[in-house]
């Protein structure tokens, strides 16, 4: 892999040395731009040298001046007007007039296996330009989409190099994969973390089944189409984009200081039955240790991207190199990523074009302990980081040692884990046009990746509870080898008032994965970092070698028809076969769709009206599938279990257990969806509005449910088609784009999505699914999934208050003064599992965003706001107690300390009785509104840039997540998780604000 990057680096250097930029041949062109109708000057018109990023804008009088080669072409663009190209031909004065247009109608969007005019699309498709993505300095392109598309919910993670979670129109599966399908230049992926955001030209999100169905079995969770940058005909253009900044923790949770902690612990001891002597004889201990300040830091982040692009009549090219270095907000945590991408298109002769795209990515991270934030939350402030003699502060010295109360500094110092990832991916294609209206395209692509996690635990002793007597090396390695071949034939014909496009295609795929898990004890420490299993004891080595293979075969077709640009029809069908369902008599699935549109504004009776610039009604229906289920789900597996041992002739034999029962037949998870949309444009499309109503139902959803223990299995579940899952909602988006006579241009966009999620049509006899136990004490489960309710809603006791005296609590066995008072739902005088109620919903009902762009002369400003509403978060950090963990400052200030002191917060004895059982106290509102991004930029005047031998120079400052407004008492209410464990905050890597300075240079 290092050789690959070395060769690419050498290639880039050669390109830079051999490219003839030819600045000396530039001439200065001046002129004026006017409205083609009323002949008034047009201020704020963008003028670009075609094939470059060299540009300027007209002044208040419509005048401009630009430096360009004598043989260049100028491109004039302005909101609400048709773009105009004008050859320079050595002219020094060029005056132009722009014609008004319905620009929004002619916008081209990327759809499955092609492109369409926005006005011709009958499904729900959202498009985001690469320039809008690059304005948010994001390590993952998906993170930059947050708040930009209605109906798309994105949960970011603070982990360096981590991938955001994206949900399109709600969660529609429990057992299968929840990630959407990503298609990058024709190759399919589950993640695009390997992509440099600066390499992206456009992202299209297919939101409804009609648009998605052309991708069949992989489209149930939505489809994200990514188009990367291509070279353009013209002189070589060199671009450099670089940023440097720092990340700072926001909304840091305030914890109790040493004195407050000691006082609260003594109170908890006094409430025991019988009462326990105080742990601290002196509670006047001052501030003590602030563990967040000890372990967290302001972290540096830097990002660089260099690209070279250009081309001729016969070929175009684009080469880019990227480097990202991101420190985590936890000390020692770091992530580095290197990316390289090369694409070429060749016009062999007029009907035939071939090309390829290759992307290579390599990353290396020094990981943080997965439990570090739980450790920081729980650590006692009375324990010092280090003692006076240099040894680690020991919770046991204060009688505080337990499974949760550790010294986080020791945890960090003796943690040694690195993750290394390599990925090479790409495709080659050929496109042949023949018989005037036909185009045949063949494409072959794939990827090879290797992920390796190496974790080493040395011999150490920080305390009696934080020590390790045998060093251990763990190695987990995953290799993926995937390929995909696609062939399509397109017939495209326009005649009179008719337009017809017919597409037929075939796809074959193979995904192969190898997994090796190995470990060994007594591996000696090496300061050079060279650690191998062979260095450990041979008798302790364990190696597990696993693999998975899945194959797919598909055939598909689509028809698009338009009559007079008024009446639109789209119909498609895909037939998929997947090896996951081999042996189920259900190997193949059919996924049809149909969509229709009516462009009302093109009707004769609308010609004289002055209200609508565009008015289109569309509707669609379709089916898609989810092949992301475990391989061979109907195969009954028997697992050896050391808990089952039988003796024969005095010798022990390990028994076996069947944990999951499977039916003889399992049907495809299919998602059937209906969408009705209305698109409107006003005032020459300066104001555009789009609304959608959708109803999507996952039919025969696959998941496992608990069954009776009388079957003899250890923890018996049944995997089957158990129920349907419904997501229905409403989306609204609007954009206002305009300019003023003074040269001020701006656009303001807003979007909101509303979604209602619930499980319906549960199979007769199916039991509720209880989950959400991760990180909770005493085996409690905090979520329930049941018929006619949302997936994974929070479930537990309803708090009515706090018992003020023992006399008040006496009527309720197991409770005492200072404990939560729970509602007796069934009125039987006993608090038990039958008194649990619904506490909240982790699936957000509303998501929204506001995105703005402003430009005046050489200044530009971007402001993005994003938020969610009507959602709940389970703050498991508060109740996850084994005794003597620290308390938040909020709890300390509001806790019950005696009769009449509090009827909302319990006593310090949170671990006692049912106080830490799932209840309404721990479920909080997860609503938030966030200043997602603000960026202020300045572009040097063209005359100055030219003197500096640059075509364009822009500098900017940027801040992300700088302002967060929410009521949640944790770091951030943005908490992810699997469908039945979502929204549970036990150990979330918190988000942070990022402040950057950046520069964009074009040569």
């Amino acid at each position: 892999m290092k050789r690959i990057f070395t060769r690419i680096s050498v290639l880039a250097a050669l390109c830079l040395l051999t490219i003839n930029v030819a600045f000396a041949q530039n001439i200065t062109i001046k002129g004026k731009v006017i409205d083609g109708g009323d002949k008034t000057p047009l201020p704020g018109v963008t003028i670009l040298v075609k094939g470059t990023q060299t540009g300027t804008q007209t002044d208040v009088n419509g005048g401009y001046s630009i430096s360009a080669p004598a043989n260049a072409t100028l491109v004039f663009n302005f909101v609400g007007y048709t773009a105009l190209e004008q050859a320079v031909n050595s002219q020094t004065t060029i005056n132009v007039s722009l014609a008004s247009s319905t620009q929004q109608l002619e916008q081209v969007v990327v759809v499955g296996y092609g492109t369409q005019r926005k006005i011709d699309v009958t499904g729900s498709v959202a498009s985001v330009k690469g320039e809008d993505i690059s304005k948010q300095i994001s390590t993952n392109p998906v993170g930059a989409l947050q708040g930009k598309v209605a109906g798309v919910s994105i949960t970011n993670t603070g982990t360096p190099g981590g991938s955001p979670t994206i949900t399109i129109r709600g969660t529609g599966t429990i057992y299968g994969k929840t990630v959407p399908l990503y298609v990058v230049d024709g190759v399919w992926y589950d993640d695009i973390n390997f992509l440099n955001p600066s390499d992206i030209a456009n992202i299209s999100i297919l939101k409804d089944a009609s648009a998605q169905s052309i991708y069949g079995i992989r489209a149930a969770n939505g489809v994200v189409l990514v188009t990367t940058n291509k070279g353009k005909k013209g002189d070589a253009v060199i671009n450099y984009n670089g940023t440097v900044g720092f990340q700072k923790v926001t909304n840091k949770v305030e914890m109790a200081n040493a004195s407050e902690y000691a006082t609260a612990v003594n109170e908890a001891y006094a409430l025991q039955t019988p009462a326990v002597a105080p742990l601290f004889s002196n509670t006047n201990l001052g501030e003590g240790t602030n563990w967040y300040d000890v372990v967290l830091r302001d972290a540096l982040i830097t990002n660089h991207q260099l690209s070279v692009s250009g081309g001729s009549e016969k070929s175009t090219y684009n080469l880019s190199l990227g480097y990202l270095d991101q420190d985590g907000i936890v000390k020692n945590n770091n992530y580095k990523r290197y990316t390289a991408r090369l694409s070429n298109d060749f016009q062999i002769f007029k009907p035939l074009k071939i090309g390829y795209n290759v992307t290579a990515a390599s990353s290396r991270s020094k990981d943080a302990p997965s439990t570090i934030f739980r450790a920081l939350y729980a650590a006692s402030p009375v324990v010092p980081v280090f003692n006076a003699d240099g040894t680690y502060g020991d919770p046991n010295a204060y009688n505080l040692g337990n499974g949760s109360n550790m010294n986080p500094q020791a945890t960090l110092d003796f943690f040694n884990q690195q993750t290394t990832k390599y990925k090479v991916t790409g495709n080659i294609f050929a496109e042949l046009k023949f018989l005037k209206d036909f185009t045949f395209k063949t494409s072959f692509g794939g990827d090879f990746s290797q992920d390796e996690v190496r974790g080493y635990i040395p011999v150490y002793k920080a305390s009696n509870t934080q020590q390790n007597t045998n060093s251990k090396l763990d190695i987990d390695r995953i290799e993926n080898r995937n390929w995909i071949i696609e062939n399509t034939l397109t017939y495209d014909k326009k005649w009179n008032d008719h337009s017809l496009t017919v597409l037929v295609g075939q796809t074959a795929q193979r995904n192969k994965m190898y997994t090796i898990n190995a470990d060994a004890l007594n591996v000696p420490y090496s300061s050079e970092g060279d650690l191998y299993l062979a260095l450990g004891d041979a008798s302790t080595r364990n190696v597990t070698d696993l693999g998975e293979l899945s194959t797919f075969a598909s055939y598909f077709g689509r028809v698009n028809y338009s009559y007079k640009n008024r009446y639109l029809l789209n119909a498609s069908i895909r037939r998929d076969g997947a090896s996951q369902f081999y042996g189920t008599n259900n190997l193949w699935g059919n996924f049809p769709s149909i969509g229709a549109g009516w462009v009302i504004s093109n009707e004769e009776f609308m010609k004289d009206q002055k209200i609508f610039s565009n008015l289109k009604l569309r509707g669609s229906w379709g089916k898609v599938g989810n092949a992301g289920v475990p391989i061979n789900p109907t195969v009954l597996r028997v697992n050896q279990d050391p808990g089952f041992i039988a003796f024969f002739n005095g010798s022990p034999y390990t028994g076996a257990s069947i944990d999951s029962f499977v039916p003889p037949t399992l049907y495809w998870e299919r998602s059937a969806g209906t969408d009705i949309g209305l698109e409107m444009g006003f005032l020459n499309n300066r104001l555009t509005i789009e609304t959608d109503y959708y109803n999507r139902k996952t039919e025969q959803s696959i998941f496992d449910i608990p069954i009776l223990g009388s079957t003899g299995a250890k923890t018996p579940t049944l995997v089957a088609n158990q129920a349907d899952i419904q997501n229905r909602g409403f989306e609204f988006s609007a954009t206002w784009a305009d300019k003023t006579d003074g040269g001020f241009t701006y656009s303001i966009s807003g979007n909101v999505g509303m979604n209602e999620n619930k499980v319906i049509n549960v199979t007769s006899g199916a039991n509720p699914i209880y989950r959400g136990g991760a990180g909770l004490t005493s085996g409690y489960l905090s979520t329930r999934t049941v018929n006619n309710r949302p997936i994974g809603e929070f479930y537990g006791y309803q708090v009515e208050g706090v018992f003020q005296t023992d006399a008040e609590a006496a009527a309720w066995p197991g409770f005492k003064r200072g404990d939560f008072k729970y509602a007796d739902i069934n009125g039987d005088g006993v608090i038990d599992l039958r008194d649990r109620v619904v506490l909240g919903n982790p699936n957000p009902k509303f998501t929204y965003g506001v995105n703005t762009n402003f430009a005046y002369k050489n200044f530009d400003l971007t402001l993005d706001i994003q938020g969610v509403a009507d959602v709940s978060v389970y703050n498991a950090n508060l109740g996850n107690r084994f005794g003597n963990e620290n308390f938040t400052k909020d709890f300390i200030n509001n806790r019950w300390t005696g009769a009449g002191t509090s009827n909302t917060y319990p006593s310090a004895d949170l671990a006692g009785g049912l106080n830490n059982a799932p209840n309404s106290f721990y479920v909080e509102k997860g609503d938030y509104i966030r200043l997602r991004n603000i960026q202020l930029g300045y572009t040097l005047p063209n005359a100055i840039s030219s003197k500096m031998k640059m075509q364009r120079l822009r500098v900017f400052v940027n801040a992300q997540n700088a302002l967060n407004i929410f009521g949640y008492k944790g770091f951030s209410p943005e908490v992810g998780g699997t469908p039945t464990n979502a929204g549970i905050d036990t150990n979330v890597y918190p988000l942070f604000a990022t402040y950057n300075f950046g520069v964009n240079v074009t040569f």
Side-chain angles (χ1 to χ4, degrees), residues 14 100 127 192 352 551:
L14 291 174
S100 178
S127 184
I192 53 172
L352 177 64
T551 57

Side-chain angles (χ1 to χ4, degrees), residues 14-35:
L14 291 174
C15 288
L16 294 177
L17 290 173
T18 58
I19 290 172
N20 179 16
V21 182
F23 286 117
Q25 300 177 13
N26 283 10
I27 63 174
T28 299
I29 304 106
K30 296 182 179 180
K32 191 172 184 178
V33 182
I34 62 173
D35 185 298

Side-chain angles (χ1 to χ4, degrees), residues 356-495:
Y356 67 88
N357 304 278
V358 179
T359 300
S362 171
S363 67
R364 189 179 187 88
S365 66
K366 294 180 180 179
D367 301 330
S370 61
T371 59
I372 189 63
F373 285 99
R374 173 61 195 164
L376 292 175
Y377 193 95
S380 168
V382 304
V383 179
V385 183
F386 296 102
N387 297 316
D389 60 0
T391 58
Y392 287 97
D394 183 2
N396 293 284
Y398 301 84
N399 296 315
L400 298 173
N402 59 45
S404 184
N405 208 324
M406 300 286 185
N407 185 319
Q409 185 65 55
T411 301
L412 198 63
D413 289 346
F414 293 107
F415 182 80
N416 182 356
Q417 178 177 293
Q418 293 187 348
T419 300
T420 305
K421 297 182 179 183
Y422 303 100
K423 191 178 189 76
V424 178
T425 181
N427 77 321
I428 57 175
F429 70 89
E431 188 176 275
L432 176 67
K433 296 180 182 295
F434 63 98
L435 297 178
K436 188 179 178 180
D437 302 317
F438 289 89
T439 302
F440 174 75
K441 183 176 182 179
T442 183
S443 171
F444 177 80
D447 69 274
F448 171 83
S449 66
Q450 177 180 297
D451 299 354
E452 182 180 278
V453 180
R454 299 174 69 92
Y456 179 71
I457 306 174
V459 175
Y460 74 94
K461 184 175 182 179
S463 67
N464 288 332
T465 55
Q466 284 185 273
Q467 61 175 314
N468 186 53
T469 56
N470 296 99
S471 63
K472 184 180 181 181
L473 175 64
D474 285 282
I475 299 176
D476 296 319
R477 179 179 299 164
I478 299 175
E479 291 184 6
N480 286 286
R481 302 175 183 177
N482 308 322
W483 59 256
I484 178 172
I485 184 169
E486 293 187 313
N487 297 292
T488 60
L489 178 64
T490 305
Y491 172 76
D492 193 356
K493 180 71 173 179
K494 294 179 175 62
W495 71 100

Side-chain angles (χ1 to χ4, degrees), residues 172-422:
T173 187
I174 294 177
Y175 197 66
K177 289 182 179 179
T178 60
V179 296
L181 168 66
Y182 296 94
V183 182
V184 183
D185 294 329
V187 184
W188 297 20
Y189 305 94
D190 287 335
D191 187 20
I192 53 172
N193 201 33
F194 63 92
L195 273 183
N196 187 331
S198 297
D199 284 333
I200 293 177
N202 181 81
I203 290 182
S204 286
I205 300 177
L206 312 185
K207 296 192 290 183
D208 77 316
S210 171
Q212 299 161 354
S213 66
I214 199 69
Y215 290 103
I217 56 172
R218 290 290 305 278
N221 299 311
V223 181
V224 179
L225 306 180
V226 181
T227 305
T228 57
N229 291 325
K230 306 289 184 183
K232 297 179 180 179
K233 184 178 69 174
D235 293 333
V237 177
I238 304 172
N239 288 312
Y240 167 75
N241 298 312
T243 61
V244 61
F246 68 94
Q247 303 156 142
K248 187 177 184 65
V249 177
T250 59
N251 303 96
K252 188 186 298 183
V253 177
E254 291 189 66
M255 305 301 294
N257 62 30
S259 296
E260 294 165 336
Y261 169 80
T263 300
V265 169
N266 282 353
E267 290 174 8
Y269 277 44
L271 288 167
Q272 303 301 308
T273 304
V276 179
L279 182 62
F280 297 95
S281 58
N282 176 23
T283 60
N284 188 20
L285 301 176
E287 290 295 319
T289 304
N290 186 319
W291 287 104
Y292 284 125
D293 290 345
V294 170
V295 172
L296 303 186
R297 64 179 176 181
D298 291 344
L300 182 70
I301 180 171
T302 182
N303 198 356
H304 306 277
Q305 197 252 0
L306 179 68
S307 67
V308 183
S309 65
S312 64
E313 296 288 344
K314 292 294 185 181
S315 67
T316 60
Y317 61 90
N318 184 291
L319 168 68
S320 71
L321 302 172
Y323 170 67
L324 168 69
D325 188 351
Q326 180 184 14
D327 286 334
I329 58 173
V330 175
K331 293 177 181 177
N332 302 334
N333 189 199
N334 174 265
Y335 174 78
K336 289 183 172 67
R337 183 184 67 196
Y338 306 84
T339 59
R341 185 178 169 278
L342 179 63
S343 69
N344 276 108
D345 290 350
F346 303 95
Q347 198 74 44
I348 303 302
F349 51 91
K350 189 173 182 180
L352 177 64
K353 183 169 87 171
I354 64 174
Y356 67 88
N357 304 278
V358 179
T359 300
S362 171
S363 67
R364 189 179 187 88
S365 66
K366 294 180 180 179
D367 301 330
S370 61
T371 59
I372 189 63
F373 285 99
R374 173 61 195 164
L376 292 175
Y377 193 95
S380 168
V382 304
V383 179
V385 183
F386 296 102
N387 297 316
D389 60 0
T391 58
Y392 287 97
D394 183 2
N396 293 284
Y398 301 84
N399 296 315
L400 298 173
N402 59 45
S404 184
N405 208 324
M406 300 286 185
N407 185 319
Q409 185 65 55
T411 301
L412 198 63
D413 289 346
F414 293 107
F415 182 80
N416 182 356
Q417 178 177 293
Q418 293 187 348
T419 300
T420 305
K421 297 182 179 183
Y422 303 100

Side-chain angles (χ1 to χ4, degrees), residues 706 767-773 781-785 795 833 836 980:
N767 297 314
I769 303 174
Y770 294 97
R771 295 286 190 273
L781 299 175
S782 59
T783 75
R784 184 188 69 163
T785 302
Y795 192 67
L833 296 179
R836 292 176 296 172
T980 54

